[in-house]
């Protein structure tokens, strides 16, 4: 059935807004060429979007051109303000941005381990409020939060997890209750995958797995263009995966004995020390030599082989601070070691976004939510 006039208008408006977001300011003529719509239809949608406060004139195209045909239209970036938070065990980093995702202000705050749940939450909330005020964003539309732990697929809430600070869950509750904004929480590794797919190493890839390598070990699974969380939100908890070379088996309450034991930051630091490279795991991986990097790649390939055998993703991105620090040297060695363990061809790439991937993914999530709301046709 052909679309109704109202549905057709909504589709055309959304298409124009996406083009203005992706291409920047455009004239009506440029919108006509890019959309394939008629001149009267483009004129109508531009007027409609201006009246709704979503689009405004920001200048003219060409040094000598004047008049309506030369007007450049752009999305009103300050129509809504966004925030994104990267919540770690002992810190909070955040960014405040406009509707197009341009950063207006950013801040980071360490949270002392003995701060207590209430004070830790208040410190984080105060940091957000102060940073938003400095950015001129008195009212936030959407807030994206990345945190370690499992997200309940039914409620969208951060679940209780042993070993993680209680203030993480309380922070999400307080922000949802205190802010007149949509508060969206997602597992940090999943958000890193969102960012790598949109902005980084997995651009253009509908199916891939991101391995998060740091103090904790995890994975994000993207299949056929969709982030897969699993029945309980636990898809990608590969730190618990039983693998050879450990001191035993993992349990329901701990991942010692699992893949985590082989490749978490502490294990990598010890492996580096055994190869005469004392110091932090990140420093060792960044400045690695052949024998140590080969040994680490073999360990990583063991876990990656299990992922490949089940999912056949075609691409694995090495994320987190260690994956980013290892760069192409580590990724290339992992790919070679993996090829010896599986017949399924799998490319291995290093993260392009590094430690900033979580915050980028949280901001993309907040931006998408705000645009879905503001760009939706109004009854």
């Amino acid at each position: 059935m052909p679309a109704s006039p109202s549905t057709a208008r909504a589709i055309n408006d959304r298409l124009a807004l996406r083009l203005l977001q992706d291409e920047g300011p455009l004239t009506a003529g440029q919108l006509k060429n890019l959309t394939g719509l008629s001149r009267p239809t483009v004129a109508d949608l531009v007027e409609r979007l201006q009246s709704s406060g979503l689009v405004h004139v920001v200048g003219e195209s060409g040094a000598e051109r004047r008049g309506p045909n030369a007007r450049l239209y752009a999305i009103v970036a300050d129509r809504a303000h966004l925030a994104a938070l990267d919540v770690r065990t002992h810190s909070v980093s955040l960014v405040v941005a406009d509707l197009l995702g341009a950063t207006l202000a950013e801040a980071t705050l360490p949270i002392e381990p003995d701060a207590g749940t209430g004070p830790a939450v208040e410190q984080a909330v105060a940091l957000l409020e102060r940073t938003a005020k400095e950015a001129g964003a008195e009212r936030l539309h959407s807030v994206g939060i990345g945190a370690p732990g499992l997200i309940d697929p039914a409620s969208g809430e951060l679940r209780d997890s042993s070993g993680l600070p209680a203030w993480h869950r309380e922070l999400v509750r307080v922000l949802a209750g205190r802010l007149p904004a949509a508060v969206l929480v997602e597992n940090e590794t999943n958000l890193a995958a969102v960012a790598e797919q949109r902005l980084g190493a997995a651009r253009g890839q509908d199916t891939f797995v991101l391995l998060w390598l740091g103090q904790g070990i995890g994975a994000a699974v993207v299949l056929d263009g969709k982030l897969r969380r699993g029945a309980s939100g636990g898809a990608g908890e590969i730190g618990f995966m039983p693998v050879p070379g450990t001191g035993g088996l993992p349990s329901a309450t701990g991942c010692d004995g699992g893949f985590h034991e082989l490749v978490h930051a502490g294990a990598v630091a010890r492996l580096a020390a055994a190869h005469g490279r004392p110091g932090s795991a990140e420093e060792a991986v960044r400045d690695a030599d052949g024998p140590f990097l080969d040994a680490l790649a073999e360990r990583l390939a063991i876990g990656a082989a299990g992922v490949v055998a089940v999912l056949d993703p075609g691409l694995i991105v090495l994320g987190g601070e260690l994956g980013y620090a290892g760069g192409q040297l580590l990724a290339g060695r992992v790919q070679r070691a993996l090829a010896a363990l599986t017949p399924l061809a799998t490319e291995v790439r290093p993260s392009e976004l590094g430690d900033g991937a979580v915050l980028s993914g949280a901001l993309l999530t907040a931006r998408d939510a705000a645009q879905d709301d503001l760009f939706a046709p109004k009854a």
Side-chain angles (χ1 to χ4, degrees):
M1 293 178 61
S4 67
S6 61
T7 300
R9 285 194 295 272
I11 292 171
N12 292 340
D13 290 356
R14 191 65 181 258
L15 175 59
L17 287 165
R18 287 302 180 196
L19 286 169
L20 289 170
Q21 173 188 286
D22 295 340
E23 304 294 334
L26 298 169
T27 65
Q30 290 170 325
L31 281 171
K32 173 183 176 297
N33 293 334
L34 290 170
T35 62
L37 299 172
S38 68
R39 189 177 300 277
T41 299
V42 170
D44 287 344
L45 74 82
V46 166
E47 182 178 353
R48 201 161 48 243
L49 294 175
Q50 282 186 286
S51 298
S52 68
L54 289 172
V55 164
H56 61 164
V57 177
V58 294
E60 294 184 339
S61 175
E64 299 178 356
R65 295 182 63 185
R66 294 292 184 270
N69 291 337
R71 291 172 184 164
L72 281 168
Y73 299 94
I75 292 174
V76 180
D78 61 1
R79 175 65 184 273
H81 291 106
L82 322 169
L85 286 78
D86 180 1
V87 180
R88 302 293 177 97
T89 304
H90 300 307
S91 69
V92 174
S93 297
L94 62 87
V95 60
V96 177
D98 63 23
L99 182 58
L100 293 177
T103 297
L104 302 176
E106 51 192 336
T108 297
L109 179 71
I111 303 293
E112 295 298 328
D114 57 353
T117 298
V121 169
E122 288 306 315
Q123 289 176 44
V125 173
L127 180 70
L128 175 58
E129 292 175 339
R130 183 168 62 252
T131 307
K133 185 176 181 179
E134 291 171 357
E138 299 295 336
R139 181 184 179 91
L140 296 171
H141 183 286
S142 301
V143 178
I145 302 174
L150 303 183
I151 308 300
D152 189 307
S155 66
E157 296 179 349
L158 187 63
R159 292 170 51 184
D160 281 319
S161 299
S162 60
L164 294 176
W167 65 266
H168 284 191
R169 297 186 76 240
E170 187 62 22
L171 174 62
V172 175
R173 291 196 192 98
V174 169
L175 289 177
R178 188 177 300 185
L179 297 178
V183 177
L184 313 160
V185 61
E186 180 59 271
N187 172 267
E188 59 182 357
T189 305
N190 287 345
L191 288 179
V194 168
E196 293 288 354
Q197 186 181 35
R198 301 268 289 272
L199 306 172
R203 282 189 301 272
Q205 300 293 319
D206 287 336
T207 296
F208 71 98
V209 169
L210 181 140
L211 296 187
W212 184 270
L213 309 173
Q215 296 297 328
I217 301 299
V221 179
V222 177
L223 301 177
D224 301 323
K226 294 183 179 181
L227 186 65
R228 306 294 181 171
R229 297 175 177 84
S232 64
E237 288 295 318
I238 61 170
F240 287 87
M241 185 166 59
V243 292
T246 65
L249 291 173
S251 70
T253 57
C255 52
D256 291 339
F259 184 48
H260 171 90
E261 182 180 316
L262 289 183
V263 294
H264 72 90
V268 173
R270 289 191 292 272
L271 180 65
H275 283 80
R277 306 184 64 84
S280 74
E282 189 172 350
E283 291 170 344
V285 172
R286 180 176 292 111
D287 302 321
D289 59 12
F292 161 63
L293 213 59
D294 287 339
L296 177 57
E298 289 172 3
R299 289 189 178 191
L300 290 170
I302 291 172
V307 171
V308 169
V310 175
L311 299 176
D312 186 19
L315 171 65
I316 288 178
V317 175
L318 302 183
E321 56 265 32
L322 299 186
Y324 182 68
Q328 188 56 50
L329 284 176
L330 177 60
R333 282 170 163 81
V334 173
Q335 182 169 323
R336 288 193 294 273
L338 182 59
L341 299 178
T342 174
L344 305 176
T346 308
E347 183 180 1
V348 181
R349 300 177 187 171
S351 163
E352 291 184 9
L353 304 177
D355 212 32
V358 176
L359 202 56
S360 294
L363 183 57
L364 286 168
T365 299
R367 192 187 76 181
D368 288 348
Q371 293 184 355
D372 284 345
D373 176 43
L374 296 173
F375 293 177
K378 306 304 179 185

